[in-house]
Structure formats: C-alpha cells, structure tokens
Amino acid sequence: MKTTPSIMAGIGLKIPAIFFSVALTFLGLLFITFFIGRVVPIDPVLAAVGDRATPEVYERMRIELGLHLPLYQQFWIYLLKVFQGDFGMSVLTANPVLKDIQRVFPATLELATVATAIGVLVGIPFGIIGAVFRGRWPDHILRVVSLFGYSVPVFWLGLVGLLIFYGRLDIAPGPGRIEVFYEGMVDPVTGLLVVDALLAGEWDICKNALAHLVLPASILGYFSTAYISRMTRSFMLDQLEQEYITTARVKGIAEWRVICIHALGNVRIPLITVVALSYASLLEGSVLTETVFAWPGLGMYLTQSLLSADMNAVLGATIVVGGVFIGVNLLSDLLYKIFDPRARM
Amino acid sequence: MANNEYPQQEQTVDGLRQWLLTTTPCSRLQARAGRSYIAWLSFTRNRLAVIGLGIITLLVLTAVLAPLIAPYHPNVPDLEQRLQTMSMEHWLGTDQLGRDILSRILYGSRLTLYVVVLVAIIAAPLGLVVGTVAGYSGGLVDSVLMRITDIFLAFPKLILALAFVAALGPGIENAIIAIAITSWPPYARIARAETITLRNSDFIVAARLQGAGHIRLIVHHIIPLCLSSVIVRVTLDMAGIILTAAGLGFLGLGAQPPLPEWGAMIAGGRQFLLDQWWVATLPGIAIFIVSLGFNLLGDGLRDVLDPRSGGK
C-alpha cells in the first residue's frame, strides 16, 4: 500500500476543519435545546417545589437550580452537565435520563439497522435495474414504488400492516418487541434482543424476537428502499451517460461487467452518503413506527415524555438523536474522503 | 394565414396561439404571456404533473365547498350511530362518537390546506431573506447565517419539531410554527446558491450604477430570480409538511380533538383497528392522495422550471 501515507496526510489536513464544524453544529444543537428548555411555559421551580411553597422556599429552589444566574452562565453550566452525561432526572420514570436512554436506545438501533439493511439489499439492485431499463416497465414500477414511499404516512402504513398481517392473516405477531412470556428472560448484553438471545443460546426467544422485528423493520425498510433506489437510479444514469462506459462497451466488455463493475464502482461513493442519511432519518421515522408497534425504543420514550411534559427526558432524547445524526453525517463525510480521491484535494 | 375552411371560433383560438407563440412580441405583456404559455405547454405534456395539479385543485375545492358537500356536521357526536360500517347513509362509516367519517375527511382538507399554506408563507420568505442576504453580503454575514442554517439542517426535522411543540404546547398553530421553524433552511441554501451566481452579473452592476441601494437590489432584482427554484422546492416539500403535520396530529401533539385533522383521526381510530378498520385507515388514504398530488405537481414544476434535472 504505497499510497496510504499520502491518503492519510490528505485527510489529516481536513480533519481539524471537519471537527471544528461538527463541534459548532453540536454547540448549536445544545443551544437550541437550552433555549427550548427556557421558553417552556412550565416554571421549573414551581415544578420542583409545588405551588404551595412559601416565597422563601421558592427563592431557595430558584438559587439551587441556578436560575438566578445570567443566561450565559446558565448555558455554560448546562454545557458542562451535558458533557458529563447529566441530562437531569426524568419525572416520568424517576431515573436519570441518561440511564433511561441507555436502556431504550438498543431497541431503536436494532430496528433502524435491520431496516437499513433491507433498504440497501433491495434498494440498490432496484435502482440499478431502473437505470438500466430506463423508461421501460421495470423503471415505471420503480417510480411508482418510490413515489408511494414518498407520499404515504409511515404510521398509517404500520397500522395497515398490523391490520392485514396480524389482524386478518394472523401470520405476524402483534405489537411489542417480544412475547410478554419471554420478557426479561435473557440478560441484556448488547441490548439487541435477537443477538442477546443467540448469545444465551435461547433459540425460541431469538425466533420470537426476530418475528416481532419483521413487520416494523419491513415497513421502515420500505421507506429506506424508496429513497435508496431512487438515488441509485439517478447516480447510475449519470454514470451510464459517461464516455468511459461507451469505451468499455466498444472494447467488448460484457454488459453486466460494464454495469456492475465499471458504473457501480463509481456510484459506490455517493451511495455511502445516501445510505448514511437514510440510516439517520430512520431514527426519526422510528418515532412514529415505534408508537404504532409499541416498540420500547427511543422514539416511544420521546413521545411518552412529550405527552407527560417531562422536559428533561424530551431534551435528552433530542440531544441524543441530534448527536447521532451529526455523528452519522461526520462518518459519511470521512468515508467519502477516504474513498473518493477527488474529495481529498 | 387565415384559413377559410376553419369555423370562426377555431380561427380565433389559432390566432391567440399565434399571438402567444410569436417570436417577435410587440409588448411586454405579449412576451410574458407567451413565456407562460410555453411553460404551460411543457407542463401539460407531463401527464402525471397534470394529475397532481388536478388533485391539488380538488383539495382546494373541497376545502372551500366543505359545508356544501359534506352530508353531516363534522364534530357533532351521534352516539346511537357509533362505529357504523359503510352504508348508503354513511358512505365511509362512522367513528367512535358516531360522526360521519366522509364529512370529517372533507372538513379535514381545510386543516391540511391551512397547515400547508401557513408553513409555506412563513418558511419560504424566511429562507429567501436569509439566503439572499447571506449570498449578497458574503464575508462574515454569509458565514454566520450559513452556519445557523447548517445547524438547523443537521437535525432530523420531526424530532426538532417535536421538541418545539413540547416547548410551545400541543395545538395546530404551534405545530405550524414548529414545522415552519424546521423547514426554512433548504430554501435559504437554494436562495444563497442562486444569489451568488447573480451577485456579480452585469445587470446588477448596472442597477447599482444607477444608484440602487442594497435593499432595492435584493428585493427587486435578486429575489424575483430566486423565486422559481424556491417555489419548486416548496412544492416538493409540501408532501413532507403534510406528513409531518399528520404525524404530529397522530401523536396527539398537533390539532386537538374535536378538530377533524386526518392524523388525529387515525390516532382516534387506532383502538378499533382490528374490528372497525375503516375508522383508522380511511383518513390515511386522504393524506396519501394529497401528498401524492403535491409530489407529482412538484416533479412536474421542476421539469418545467429547472430543465437541468429533467427526467432524473
């Protein structure tokens, strides 16, 4: 690998700039959540002491919560706390918010990962077929499938899926992550139920968890497929018009090789960004899907906290989702720079 | 080119077409009308876009005429008629409070239109101003404004809207504000990109030499030229706005009962899903049709106004 040092040097030059911009974005995220926490019509002091407290108690609590300080100092304290992983206590569960999030996050991760895998495995081949058969019936089918995906509400599709596959055909299990009977029977090692059950050698539990995963993951995966296939098609069309493709064909290279090796090789790089973006947006889609399927993940935690006005939990979950979003974007940026020599210039 | 074999009426139609398509227009009005006509011709060539336009027209008509065409009152419960299946009296059945679902869906189009129009009115001008000012000024102003835009772009829209709704409290107005706050950044980016290409062009320099100030240059010379790409983007975003608003309604954070908002109607029918499926599923079809309409229309407009991306 003769080129490795120069590649690393090229990336190295950009890294401080990238991290600076990521840090700034994260700071912006914290500022927004801080701001939201301040404009909330719920008085945090009143929430802590109750409305029968004497003015002295109220004042003492106000000082204890740091609300008498100037705003910029309050923001600074808030920043320090967040960086120590202290999002405050959840009113709803009486646990530290961070602990709650650690408990629910793996469920969302499991769902989003399987859904993205479906999106990649189905979407990329579909997109290639659409580009190769441009304007013919496979392309039209692709167009309809992705247009449907862009237009249909995810929670509605989830409900219809439950109605058909659980209610009528009875081939899918109902809502939830696992049968109540199996609840808590495997030790959470990774937090991913399917993996944990496999590690514990509990085949039945693994099968049950997998069965519960199929419907919500397919529904989310469908949206991912719609997006990934549309983008793949468009990137492939760009490549197939290029002259090097004509050259390859003229040289007598087999058509499948031209498509799968030459064109797809160049499409791979922009696709990284698309897959990363779709993965991050599934975290968002999971808020609605989890509510429909009673899936005990971050999305359901967020909505339940919202409905009970548990601001610490809402802001904590927002910071985590925003942080993951920023992190995934950063990762795709870095991968882009590693794989695409032009982006290193 | 008078052709005597044509009946009189077709001759005037032909005459109008020639007047519109002439390559030597005699007045500004004629040139403008001709340009619009050509755009209209290429728009109508796209059949899907015309279907989209039809759906949106139908939505507007339904919203306007809802009190005339809806067979029942949307919010008055009739507990004797609860959870009726589809019949001649109730074409789409009734919900858990005995309200006619068809009437509620028809009235719900008003709320959908309300959300979409208000979000567009708030977010598009905000994005336009931020983008054009950033692109026109350059330097520090540009960096600061674009940094803020990037920060907003870096978040998942629905999550940010959820957090804002949490702060402002549930309700359709607050949902609109939250969605608008989260949807202006793409417009700012587009407007800035267009502004940068225009900033140093000759006609701007000429206007400046004639003594036009910064505000005049931005408002009269730059913003009009950014409008078409922003309009295309807004139309394409409408579907997303409708889906987000319906999602907020579904979670109980958007329009509050008894408003016949489609997302909230789905949430209301959820507990009867397995036995009375029509209560929860039918409003979803309405959401789907309307966002499909906006997607088709947006695609068509993009092909007309931005030929570069045609067909991809």
Side-chain angles (χ1 to χ4, degrees):
Chain A
M1 292 293 265
K2 218 173 66 184
T3 52
T4 313
S6 67
I7 290 178
M8 294 324 276
I11 299 166
L13 281 177
K14 288 268 177 123
I15 282 182
I18 293 175
F19 276 97
F20 177 70
S21 102
V22 167
L24 210 60
T25 313
F26 195 67
L27 205 65
L29 166 68
L30 293 180
F31 182 76
I32 292 176
T33 50
F34 174 76
F35 174 76
I36 290 175
R38 283 283 155 268
V39 298
V40 149
I42 308 162
D43 182 351
V45 185
L46 219 54
V49 298
D51 53 1
R52 290 203 197 149
T54 57
E56 292 84 53
V57 175
Y58 183 90
E59 195 53 34
R60 194 144 26 96
M61 196 45 149
R62 208 168 87 91
I63 292 173
E64 203 171 299
L65 290 172
L67 294 172
H68 62 296
L69 297 170
L71 269 184
Y72 68 91
Q73 275 186 28
Q74 288 189 35
F75 184 54
W76 177 244
I77 294 170
Y78 177 74
L79 277 188
L80 289 179
K81 279 190 169 172
V82 168
F83 280 111
Q84 288 163 5
D86 179 5
F87 297 126
M89 300 291 279
S90 157
V91 181
L92 192 64
T93 62
N95 286 330
V97 170
L98 187 69
K99 220 174 133 196
D100 277 344
I101 291 178
Q102 279 168 351
R103 182 170 46 82
V104 296
F105 192 66
T108 301
L109 195 67
E110 194 177 32
L111 191 60
T113 307
V114 176
T116 305
I118 293 174
V120 169
L121 291 178
V122 182
I124 293 180
F126 258 50
I128 296 172
I129 292 171
V132 171
F133 295 95
R134 182 183 188 180
R136 310 229 302 266
W137 63 266
D139 192 22
H140 292 311
I141 292 178
L142 175 77
R143 201 187 150 107
V144 170
V145 166
S146 69
L147 201 58
F148 188 77
Y150 280 117
S151 309
V152 76
V154 55
F155 53 95
W156 181 78
L157 204 59
L159 287 174
V160 172
L162 270 180
L163 173 65
I164 295 174
F165 295 107
Y166 168 62
R168 293 289 182 269
L169 303 177
D170 202 20
I171 50 174
R177 209 174 161 203
I178 196 159
E179 215 67 59
V180 184
F181 176 69
Y182 290 123
E183 198 96 48
M185 275 177 66
V186 286
D187 294 328
V189 184
T190 56
L192 312 172
L193 261 180
V194 176
V195 180
D196 283 347
L198 265 186
L199 286 178
E202 299 276 4
W203 183 237
D204 281 348
I205 300 183
C206 175
K207 227 166 73 181
N208 189 273
L210 207 58
H212 276 84
L213 191 57
V214 170
L215 193 55
S218 313
I219 301 249
L220 268 182
Y222 172 62
F223 289 89
S224 181
T225 304
Y227 178 58
I228 292 178
S229 64
R230 191 92 181 253
M231 297 311 280
T232 308
R233 174 183 178 272
S234 145
F235 293 149
M236 279 300 278
L237 283 179
D238 276 344
Q239 291 301 324
L240 289 174
E241 282 167 6
Q242 306 272 326
E243 288 183 348
Y244 75 91
I245 293 291
T246 317
T247 312
R249 280 184 184 142
V250 168
K251 279 162 73 182
I253 294 171
E255 186 66 21
W256 69 267
R257 231 186 126 78
V258 172
I259 291 162
C260 296
I261 310 277
H262 292 231
L264 194 60
N266 284 325
V267 166
R268 204 182 53 198
I269 297 158
L271 268 184
I272 294 171
T273 315
V274 167
V275 173
L277 279 180
S278 118
Y279 192 66
S281 73
L282 285 187
L283 286 175
E284 178 180 41
S286 69
V287 172
L288 293 162
T289 317
E290 284 177 8
T291 309
V292 171
F293 287 95
W295 191 265
L298 191 61
M300 206 159 93
Y301 180 69
L302 181 62
T303 40
Q304 280 177 350
S305 316
L306 267 172
L307 292 174
S308 45
D310 187 351
M311 274 324 273
N312 283 340
V314 171
L315 296 182
T318 309
I319 292 173
V320 169
V321 176
V324 171
F325 222 74
I326 296 170
V328 169
N329 274 326
L330 171 69
L331 192 70
S332 82
D333 255 18
L334 291 178
L335 284 177
Y336 206 103
K337 291 209 159 53
I338 290 172
F339 284 116
D340 188 348
R342 283 168 305 181
R344 267 180 248 135
M345 304 282 204
Chain B
M1 287 278 288
N3 193 331
N4 293 331
E5 280 150 289
Y6 281 135
Q8 191 63 39
Q9 200 185 353
E10 280 193 27
Q11 225 175 49
T12 50
V13 169
D14 256 14
L16 181 64
R17 179 174 293 166
Q18 264 169 27
W19 183 78
L20 284 167
L21 291 178
T22 177
T23 46
T24 52
C26 311
S27 65
R28 244 185 205 201
L29 174 77
Q30 190 180 359
R32 252 183 216 165
R35 269 238 317 273
S36 319
Y37 182 63
I38 290 169
W40 171 250
L41 281 183
S42 80
F43 178 80
T44 47
R45 221 176 293 138
N46 184 343
R47 241 181 306 156
L48 288 174
V50 176
I51 295 176
L53 184 65
I55 294 174
I56 305 310
T57 316
L58 205 64
L59 173 77
V60 175
L61 283 180
T62 313
V64 173
L65 301 175
L68 297 179
I69 49 179
Y72 295 88
H73 191 283
N75 295 333
V76 175
D78 178 5
L79 291 175
E80 274 178 25
Q81 295 286 322
R82 69 190 287 272
L83 297 172
Q84 297 284 309
T85 184
M86 298 173 201
S87 62
M88 282 315 285
E89 287 86 63
H90 298 284
W91 286 4
L92 300 182
T94 60
D95 68 0
Q96 66 277 17
L97 296 175
R99 296 169 297 195
D100 182 55
I101 292 178
L102 176 66
S103 307
R104 282 175 71 71
I105 289 180
L106 292 177
Y107 270 95
S109 62
R110 295 184 152 193
L111 294 173
T112 303
L113 207 59
Y114 181 59
V115 170
V116 161
V117 169
L118 275 183
V119 169
I121 289 181
I122 300 170
L126 187 64
L128 259 178
V129 169
V130 171
T132 45
V133 169
Y136 181 81
S137 317
L140 187 64
V141 178
D142 185 27
S143 308
V144 171
L145 286 178
M146 279 305 111
R147 213 8 85 189
I148 296 173
T149 310
D150 280 348
I151 288 172
F152 274 91
L153 267 181
F155 301 129
K157 264 173 82 171
L158 182 66
I159 305 279
L160 200 58
L162 281 176
F164 274 110
V165 172
L168 301 166
I172 191 165
E173 279 83 12
N174 290 341
I176 291 171
I177 295 172
I179 297 173
I181 290 176
T182 55
S183 40
W184 62 270
Y187 312 140
R189 283 235 147 247
I190 292 171
R192 174 176 176 269
E194 297 263 338
T195 309
I196 285 178
T197 61
L198 296 171
R199 186 170 56 186
N200 296 320
S201 42
D202 291 343
F203 75 93
I204 295 286
V205 177
R208 190 175 292 141
L209 283 175
Q210 286 181 328
H214 297 310
I215 294 175
R216 190 184 173 84
L217 279 175
I218 289 179
V219 173
H220 286 271
H221 297 270
I222 292 181
I223 286 186
L225 289 171
C226 301
L227 268 182
S228 67
S229 19
V230 170
I231 287 174
V232 170
R233 184 60 202 246
V234 170
T235 316
L236 282 170
D237 279 357
M238 293 271 181
I241 292 169
I242 291 173
L243 294 180
T244 311
L248 287 175
F250 177 72
L251 293 174
L253 297 165
Q256 297 296 305
L259 283 182
E261 197 272 327
W262 295 338
M265 285 169 70
I266 295 178
R270 236 181 106 184
Q271 44 181 316
F272 314 104
L273 178 70
L274 296 184
D275 297 313
Q276 285 90 20
W277 55 269
W278 56 89
V279 185
T281 49
L282 293 178
I285 296 175
I287 301 174
F288 166 67
I289 292 175
V290 172
S291 50
L292 183 72
F294 276 114
N295 272 329
L296 292 175
L297 181 66
D299 275 346
L301 281 182
R302 184 181 49 196
D303 292 346
V304 173
L305 296 175
D306 180 16
R308 273 164 299 181
S309 61
K312 290 218 177 124

